[in-house]
Amino acid sequence: ETGVTQSPTHLIKTRGQQVTLRCSSQSGHNTVSWYQQALGQGPQFIFQYYREEENGRGNFPPRFSGLQFPNYSSELNVNALELDDSALYLCASSQIAGAGYEQYFGPGTRLTVT
Amino acid sequence: RKEVEQDPGPFNVPEGATVAFNCTYSNSASQSFFWYRQDCRKEPKLLMSVYSSGNEDGRFTAQLNRASQYISLLIRDSKLSDSATYLCVVNRGNDMRFGAGTRLTVKP
């Protein structure tokens, strides 16, 4: 196991609602990245947090936002949920910021928007 | 054109077979390359990083061809437990770009 944990495991929300997903990074890792994985697709990069600051962002609208805390854990917030937001949300931690370093994934949160 | 492209498969091979996957990428500035495996409804797990000189880890060998912008993964002596989806990953700045994956099924 990677030591990266995520909560909750599953979540069902209604269109228009807001959701917060949580991630605890592996011990010794200071960087957390978030990904969205739709069925049959590879993960898509949402953003990365390093030292409590956003350190790169993918092609996602501003209603996707995040936080990182002093203990390096992180939250992903999604406002005004849409049906297309239904996906597996993965966080990954790494020792060094950027994308050139090995990232280790948590088990994911499966979000269903109805 | 997708930034990272993989043959989706599925590849169905018997135990003991050798199987190879290719992945092409479009961003010539990419510097870091990885292979991950993902079991059904699970998270991706790092299989190996891919270095310019190529690298081997047991039955798995990864190669990088920068001139042609492709990465390969070779699995020798396939085991039933190798059945999974294999994801090619290429960096784009701070962004890791994943291919859609190649599905492998190893049969007895």
Side-chain angles (χ1 to χ4, degrees):
Chain A
E1 298 301 325
T2 62
V4 180
T5 61
Q6 291 187 244
S7 63
T9 307
H10 295 87
L11 203 51
I12 300 175
K13 289 286 191 178
T14 303
R15 192 170 48 183
Q17 286 188 314
Q18 177 265 342
V19 69
T20 297
L21 311 181
R22 295 179 175 81
C23 170
S24 292
S25 61
Q26 184 171 324
S27 177
H29 287 190
N30 58 19
T31 302
V32 173
S33 301
W34 286 92
Y35 294 84
Q36 179 195 68
Q37 186 174 24
L39 207 58
Q41 301 296 317
Q44 285 194 65
F45 176 69
I46 303 174
F47 41 56
Q48 182 181 88
Y49 275 83
Y50 170 63
R51 291 187 173 179
E52 303 176 54
E53 298 277 340
E54 189 178 286
N55 184 48
R57 188 181 182 92
N59 189 27
F60 280 80
R63 59 190 186 84
F64 286 78
S65 63
L67 285 173
Q68 186 180 33
F69 301 98
N71 66 355
Y72 307 128
S73 66
S74 178
E75 284 182 357
L76 164 65
N77 298 291
V78 187
N79 293 323
L81 284 166
E82 301 177 359
L83 296 178
D84 284 350
D85 295 334
S86 295
L88 179 67
Y89 288 84
L90 296 157
C91 80
S93 74
S94 54
Q95 279 186 308
I96 305 172
Y101 305 97
E102 296 171 351
Q103 297 188 4
Y104 297 89
F105 285 84
T109 294
R110 192 163 297 279
L111 173 66
T112 302
V113 182
T114 61
Chain B
R1 182 188 171 193
K2 292 182 183 178
E3 194 156 337
V4 181
E5 296 209 59
Q6 297 182 250
D7 180 344
F11 284 62
N12 298 308
V13 303
E15 268 187 294
T18 294
V19 61
F21 307 136
N22 287 329
C23 166
T24 58
Y25 62 95
S26 61
N27 186 352
S28 59
S30 295
Q31 294 293 322
S32 302
F33 311 90
F34 307 90
W35 283 101
Y36 279 74
R37 68 168 281 167
Q38 187 171 25
D39 295 292
C40 188
R41 303 183 74 80
K42 298 283 193 179
E43 73 274 22
K45 292 187 189 296
L46 178 66
L47 184 63
M48 57 200 309
S49 302
V50 186
Y51 304 120
S52 295
S53 55
N55 46 305
E56 187 174 312
D57 182 2
R59 298 182 293 108
F60 298 85
T61 300
Q63 296 281 349
L64 168 64
N65 185 319
R66 285 187 186 274
S68 301
Q69 293 181 207
Y70 81 78
I71 307 149
S72 64
L73 177 68
L74 182 77
I75 306 175
R76 291 181 297 277
D77 188 22
S78 299
K79 311 290 185 194
L80 296 176
S81 58
D82 294 333
S83 297
T85 296
Y86 289 83
L87 299 164
C88 170
V89 187
V90 176
N91 85 297
R92 184 178 189 266
N94 276 354
D95 182 348
M96 284 177 81
R97 295 293 173 105
F98 283 75
T102 298
R103 182 161 180 78
L104 171 66
T105 300
V106 181
K107 299 187 173 181

